[in-house]
Amino acid sequence: MTFSTKIAFLGIGLMGDPMVRCLLRAGYSVTIWNRTHSKAEVLRAAGAQPAISVAEAVYGADVVISMLEAGPIVAQVLQEALPALRAGALWIDMSSTKQSEAQQFHATLQAAGHAFIDAPVSGGVGGAQAGSLAIMAGADTSDYARIETILSAMGRPTLVGPPSSGQVAKLCNQLIVGATLTIVAEALLLAQAAGADPAAVRTAIRGGFAESKILEAHGLRMLERNFVAGGQVKSQIKDMHNILAAAETARVTLPVTQLVTQRYETIAKTYPTADHAAALLALEALNPGQRLGTGPDKLS
C-alpha cells in the first residue's frame, strides 16, 4: 500500500504513541483514537488526527491498527468499529491476545467482508520508539503483501503463518522472555549471595552462550534496581496465562512456564505496573535477607 493509504490507529498507550509516530515519520496519514482522549490529543502536534469515537476514527480507513490492552478490549472496540468500516477494510491487531481470540476476530471480520491480520510485537517501548519492533504476523499471504510496507515502518515484520499464528509466535517469545528474566535474576542474586561481584559476573558471561538481550538490558536494570515500566508485570502475567491456555489447547505440558507464571503471580498485586524485570523482586521475597545491590528501588 502507498502513502495515500488511510490508517486508523486505535490505542495510544506506552507502545501505541511511538508506533504512531513511526507511521507519521514514514509519511502515512493516521487518524487515532484512545479511550482517554487526552493521550490521543498529544499526537496532534506530530501530525495525527485525533478522533472522538472509534467509529469516527475508522470511517474511510483502508487499514485499521489496534494496539490495546487485552483480547476482551479488542473485541469490544471491534464491535464498535464494525458498522463504520469501509468495504474491504483490513484490520491489523497488534495487541497481545489469546490465539482463540485472534481466530474469533478473523471470523468476525471475514464474515463482514473484511480482512484480518494478527501482528503482535516484541521489543518494548524502546523498540517502538526506534521503529525496530519484532512483528510476528499471522495472515493470508495476499493480505500480508498489502501491508508489509506499513508494518516495516514500525519494525521488522515476519509472516509466521495463517491468521492467529502471530499470537502463537508472540506467546513463544513471551515464554522465553519470562523464563529468561527469572533465570537472570536467579543468576545475579546467586552471584552476590555466594560472594562474587554480580556486575562483574554479568560482564564476564556476556558474549558466551548465556548472552541475550535480557541479560544485556534487564540484567543491567536489575543491578540498578530500575523497575520503571517498559513491559509491565501485569502484561507479563497476562501473557503467561495466555501461553498456558494455548499449551492446554495444543495438549502440551510446559512445566517451566507454569513455575515462571507462579513466580510472577506473587508480585501481581504489589508491583502490577513495574517493569517485568521485577522478577528480581519476586525472587528476593522468596529469599529473605538477600538483596541485589544497595541502591533504592526505582518504580516510577
Side-chain angles (χ1 to χ4, degrees):
M1 287 191 170
T2 66
F3 293 138
S4 62
T5 301
K6 294 181 179 179
I7 299 173
F9 198 107
L10 312 178
I12 312 300
L14 288 172
M15 297 290 288
D17 181 299
M19 291 166 73
V20 168
R21 292 180 189 274
C22 285
L23 291 169
L24 293 170
R25 286 196 295 270
Y28 288 103
S29 171
V30 188
T31 300
I32 59 176
W33 170 88
N34 194 68
R35 189 79 65 191
T36 303
H37 184 67
S38 58
K39 291 183 178 180
E41 195 61 39
V42 168
L43 284 167
R44 186 185 293 276
Q49 298 299 315
I52 297 297
S53 67
V54 172
E56 179 188 346
V58 304
Y59 182 79
D62 303 294
V63 174
V64 177
I65 300 174
S66 51
M67 187 62 176
L68 301 163
E69 186 175 359
I73 299 175
V74 178
Q76 179 183 346
V77 170
L78 176 56
Q79 289 302 319
E80 291 179 35
L82 268 176
L85 289 178
R86 69 178 300 170
L90 193 156
W91 190 298
I92 308 171
D93 182 35
M94 304 188 77
S95 319
S96 293
T97 73
K98 295 178 181 177
Q99 182 185 15
S100 59
E101 291 170 329
Q103 290 168 340
Q104 183 57 57
F105 303 150
H106 177 229
T108 298
L109 285 158
Q110 191 175 48
H114 309 296
F116 174 75
I117 293 174
D118 59 307
V121 304
S122 181
V125 175
Q129 292 170 336
S132 61
L133 292 169
I135 303 173
M136 298 149 271
D140 293 331
T141 54
S142 58
D143 291 334
Y144 180 75
R146 289 172 60 194
I147 52 80
E148 184 177 6
T149 302
I150 291 174
L151 295 178
S152 295
M154 297 177 281
R156 178 180 55 83
T158 302
L159 178 62
V160 298
S164 85
S165 297
Q167 295 302 338
V168 175
K170 176 60 186 288
L171 294 180
C172 293
N173 179 88
Q174 292 308 93
L175 182 159
I176 295 171
V177 168
T180 307
L181 281 162
T182 302
I183 211 68
V184 166
E186 290 189 4
L188 295 177
L189 193 65
L190 172 62
Q192 179 168 297
D197 177 344
V201 169
R202 172 178 168 273
T203 299
I205 63 178
R206 291 196 60 200
F209 283 146
E211 176 66 297
S212 68
K213 288 186 178 293
I214 299 293
L215 181 62
E216 174 191 355
H218 291 285
L220 182 60
R221 272 180 168 270
M222 291 175 190
L223 289 166
E224 296 177 343
R225 304 196 69 84
N226 176 12
F227 306 114
V228 177
Q232 297 181 330
V233 166
K234 64 179 182 179
S235 298
Q236 185 68 46
I237 292 172
K238 179 199 71 173
D239 290 337
M240 302 309 292
H241 288 166
N242 287 348
I243 293 164
L244 293 175
E248 183 177 0
T249 299
R251 298 182 180 179
V252 295
T253 300
L254 305 177
V256 174
T257 299
Q258 291 172 349
L259 182 58
V260 170
T261 304
Q262 291 169 7
R263 298 309 313 140
Y264 271 107
E265 285 174 341
T266 65
I267 56 172
K269 292 182 179 179
T270 313
Y271 303 108
T273 60
D275 187 85
H276 48 191
L280 175 65
L281 299 178
L283 179 63
E284 289 173 344
L286 195 64
N287 293 275
Q290 298 291 345
R291 187 176 189 274
L292 185 64
T294 58
D297 291 343
K298 303 170 188 174
L299 292 164
S300 63

